[in-house]
Amino acid sequence: VQLQASGGGLVQTGGSLRLSCAASGSTFTVHTMGWYRQAPGKQRELVALIEISSSSTNYVDSVKGRFSISRGAAENTVTLQMNDLKPEDTALYYCNAVYDFGHLKNLHAWGQGTLVTVSS
């Protein structure tokens, strides 16, 4: 599975950005897709996750009410809508997918990082 992420950029405090991620490949089944982020000097953390079959979602507390993850119109695509951005949201954001490939279960795929910078 290959993940292609897009979006990100520079925005002022209170602004909005949208990140998108698409999974491609052959004969795989995606269970979850999500976004992680890593700020300088900090560990990578889960930001938002969506279960593909049920569309149930999960968010880190710091983004609840501001970020929204949803499935895209195309299969195995997700979008992260980020509103009311704060300087502490500044980080490299990574798309992640957990998938099965043949007899191999719960594999992880990562997209390239996309930079989100929120100026104060």
Side-chain angles (χ1 to χ4, degrees), residues 5-118:
S6 60
L10 173 64
V11 67
Q12 291 185 331
T13 296
S16 297
L17 286 172
R18 178 178 295 178
L19 305 181
S20 296
C21 181
S24 64
S26 61
T27 62
F28 62 93
T29 301
V30 177
H31 297 296
T32 65
M33 292 185 73
W35 291 91
Y36 289 70
R37 67 185 179 188
Q38 188 166 19
K42 294 188 176 181
Q43 289 188 330
R44 189 175 296 189
E45 66 170 351
L46 174 64
V47 176
L49 189 75
I50 186 166
E51 185 175 342
I52 297 300
S53 60
S54 67
S55 293
S56 64
T57 59
N58 191 31
Y59 299 91
V60 67
D61 286 346
S62 60
V63 307
K64 286 180 180 177
R66 300 188 296 122
F67 290 14
S68 177
I69 188 169
S70 60
R71 295 176 58 185
E75 188 176 9
N76 295 325
T77 62
V78 293
T79 296
L80 182 68
Q81 178 65 41
M82 305 184 291
N83 298 326
D84 190 22
L85 283 160
K86 303 176 180 180
E88 51 264 41
D89 294 318
T90 295
L92 267 173
Y93 283 70
Y94 296 91
C95 181
N96 169 271
V98 178
Y99 67 99
D100 293 344
F101 180 70
H103 67 284
L104 300 175
K105 308 297 183 185
N106 296 323
L107 301 175
H108 283 254
W110 293 93
Q112 80 280 12
T114 185
L115 183 62
V116 171
T117 303
V118 185

